[in-house]
Amino acid sequence: MINPPDRHDPELEPFWDGTDQDELRVQHCAACGTFRWPPRPACAHCGSLDTEWVQAPGRGELFSWTVVARSTLPDFVDQVPYAVGVVALDGLPVRMIGKIETDDPWGLRVGMPVTAVFRNHASGVRLAVWELR
């Protein structure tokens, strides 16, 4: 079983609160407007600590991926082969990593449109995964 995320980690708690509500959230610098993922305490662009979380679009395009043919995670052994991809979010200069739900992980191509869907995991966390549109 995978270890569930620390829901009280101040850098990630707003993200996990969002997945509980079936939405993606990313950090946004309130000082200069830069979006960032993964979250960080300070803006890499201007150094501000003034951060807010905004809802991100649940759509994007497949930027890159890998096919996992042998999982070292017990929770995923029965799912191999599966794809893990990098998704460029529509309208934001942000990329997220996640499992790509597809029956043919070998048939993925750069630029394929994807949509975020949310699935309950045995660890008790609600995960964002990506489906082909």
Side-chain angles (χ1 to χ4, degrees):
M1 185 157 113
I2 65 171
N3 292 328
D6 179 0
R7 299 291 308 247
H8 302 292
D9 178 342
E11 287 185 32
L12 286 169
E13 186 175 18
F15 173 77
W16 294 115
D17 290 346
T19 62
D20 286 344
Q21 298 174 31
D22 290 352
E23 63 182 46
L24 291 177
R25 294 181 183 169
V26 296
Q27 273 188 336
H28 178 254
C29 178
C32 73
T34 300
F35 290 93
R36 60 185 185 259
W37 184 263
R40 293 180 277 293
C43 178
H45 182 73
C46 73
S48 173
L49 299 175
D50 193 6
T51 297
E52 58 190 10
W53 284 80
V54 297
Q55 185 174 350
R59 297 166 315 285
E61 288 186 350
L62 190 58
F63 178 80
S64 182
W65 72 95
T66 189
V67 176
V68 178
R70 186 197 296 181
S71 180
T72 60
L73 299 171
D75 286 359
F76 295 96
V77 168
D78 63 339
Q79 298 178 33
V80 294
Y82 63 89
V84 176
V86 179
V87 172
L89 296 181
D90 287 352
L92 292 180
V94 172
R95 295 181 183 142
M96 290 187 151
I97 296 173
K99 184 175 181 224
I100 309 296
E101 290 194 343
T102 177
D103 293 332
D104 181 16
W106 307 105
L108 296 173
R109 300 289 174 259
V110 170
M112 291 179 115
V114 294
T115 301
V117 294
F118 299 86
R119 306 277 188 246
N120 291 325
H121 188 268
S123 67
V125 70
R126 192 152 174 83
L127 298 174
V129 298
W130 298 93
E131 282 185 342
L132 298 174
R133 293 190 259 158

